[in-house]
Amino acid sequence: MEYFDTLIVILQSTVRVSVPLILAALAGLYSERAGIFDIGLEGKMLAAAFAGGAAAAVTGSALTGLGAAVLVSVCLALVHGFASITQRGNQIVSGVAINFIALGATVILGQAWFRQGGRTPQLSGDARFTTVELPFAAEIADIPVLGSIYSDLLSGHFLLTYLAFMMIPFTWWVLYRTRFGLRLRAVGENPGAVDTAGISVTWMRYRAVICCGILCGIAGAYLSMAMTAGFVKGMTAGKGFIALAALIFAKWKPVNVMFACLLFGFLDAMSIRMQGNELPIIGVVPVQFMQALPYLLTVILLAGFIGKAIPPRAGGVPYVKER
């Protein structure tokens, strides 16, 4: 049972660290399916994490912090949309600019407002999200195997965790079973045909980047108000880029996105678990190597194990309406 308990702990950690990846990857899915390549997922998550942590610290309300996180993220998404859709600018440059702005602005504003080295005050009570116990989790906790799976692995997560996993089937339904999803995918593949049918390509793409902003905002709020108790400088730590890698690894399909993010989350959880432990033959592995392991494996998986990933045909290409 010792090995089983260890596995449950690792899987629980996997779920916890996978949530922001899932939300950010789904955010990129909406945007890129509409033909807007978004490398600014990292910046939007970071800005949302700061906005959420700051608003929650000032108001004492986690829901207010969540609203502030989503609002700031959507505003940055609209900036990216204005540069990429209205002005037909380079989408990579716009995304990189958002990342730099968020990285610098969060530190400057955090220091100016709270005088804690770019951090926000520690959150407690109603200012942060608390875990949710599923029904009968305590009663069946002593049942071998099933009790541990239900009480320790499935129960005891944050509300935003369950929301992230519910977004997987919801996104699949939106993309493949609704008129909005059909038009969204068509805009990413052949915007000229969509325009000919009398549907505004510009409006569809703006709606896609708004969806992207909302999900990035929730991901940022999870980082600063659930996973940790406040904002810390650079707390996204490349999660936006890993989410982008997971999206490519999943070939822009919602269900595959979940499995890809869980894989990257498992690698991250294993790197945390193995720090300082001795491995057979190798011995004690340096902490720095274990911290870099998820990023190294991300590169390896993308380079050699996904085959040919074909993005939406109109992805990254500004649409110019024919006259």
Side-chain angles (χ1 to χ4, degrees), residues 201-289:
V201 174
T202 299
W203 175 227
M204 284 302 302
R205 287 185 167 179
Y206 265 109
R207 290 162 75 181
V209 298
I210 290 172
C211 292
C212 175
I214 292 172
L215 290 173
C216 280
I218 298 174
Y222 175 86
L223 287 174
S224 62
M225 293 187 293
M227 194 171 177
T228 58
F231 176 82
V232 180
K233 180 175 66 175
M235 70 183 310
T236 48
K239 289 181 175 61
F241 298 112
I242 294 180
L244 192 59
L247 179 60
I248 298 171
F249 184 60
K251 299 184 178 179
W252 295 273
K253 295 179 181 178
V255 177
N256 293 353
V257 162
M258 178 186 70
F259 290 116
C261 291
L262 286 173
L263 173 61
F264 291 130
F266 177 76
L267 297 175
D268 197 4
M270 282 297 296
S271 71
I272 296 171
R273 181 72 180 179
M274 297 304 295
Q275 287 182 16
N277 293 337
E278 288 192 15
L279 298 179
I281 302 176
I282 300 175
V284 178
V285 180
V287 173
Q288 293 81 0
F289 176 80

